[in-house]
Amino acid sequence: MKVISPRMHGYLDFLTVILFLLAPAIFGLSDLPTLLAYSLAVIHLIVTLASDFPFGIVKIIPFTVHGWIERVVGPTLIAVPFILGFSDEETARNFYMAAGVVIILVGVLTDYQTQVKD
């Protein structure tokens, strides 16, 4: 069941950017997880603003492709603490794994096929 509209997805994208920006301060992340959080905030903002949906400004990324990007990002975030070697940092590991799970859930619940209206 696709219960998240493109507009609601946009609000969630901006919330994601804010959470990635605040995570280092809130959770006291070390250097690498902090750099990654700030980088992901910037990348997520760029993808959001470049997507063809209500909050896109440039609209060069089709919303369906936006969805596929998130289908890759979610599982990658779950794996990244182990890939980048900070899985022993419990708070950072749990933050990235939780972010990955949330992105997967939002992706499953978003209607990427609906006719996008501004």
Side-chain angles (χ1 to χ4, degrees), residues 2-67:
K2 306 293 184 177
V3 296
I4 299 176
S5 69
R7 180 165 298 282
M8 178 57 68
H9 188 98
Y11 290 123
L12 295 172
D13 277 348
F14 286 119
L15 178 60
T16 300
V17 169
I18 291 167
L19 289 175
F20 276 121
L21 288 174
L22 294 178
I26 292 171
F27 300 116
L29 301 180
S30 66
D31 293 341
L32 181 58
T34 292
L35 177 63
L36 183 59
Y38 291 147
S39 299
L40 288 169
V42 170
I43 291 166
H44 204 92
L45 181 61
I46 290 168
V47 169
T48 298
L49 296 176
S51 292
D52 187 11
F53 78 130
F55 292 98
I57 293 174
V58 182
K59 299 186 186 288
I60 58 175
I61 300 172
F63 193 46
T64 53
V65 173
H66 179 114

Side-chain angles (χ1 to χ4, degrees), residues 93-114:
R93 180 192 66 230
N94 291 346
F95 168 72
Y96 282 99
M97 292 180 73
V101 168
V102 169
I103 288 173
I104 290 168
L105 290 174
V106 168
V108 167
L109 296 174
T110 295
D111 185 358
Y112 293 102
Q113 303 300 322
T114 193

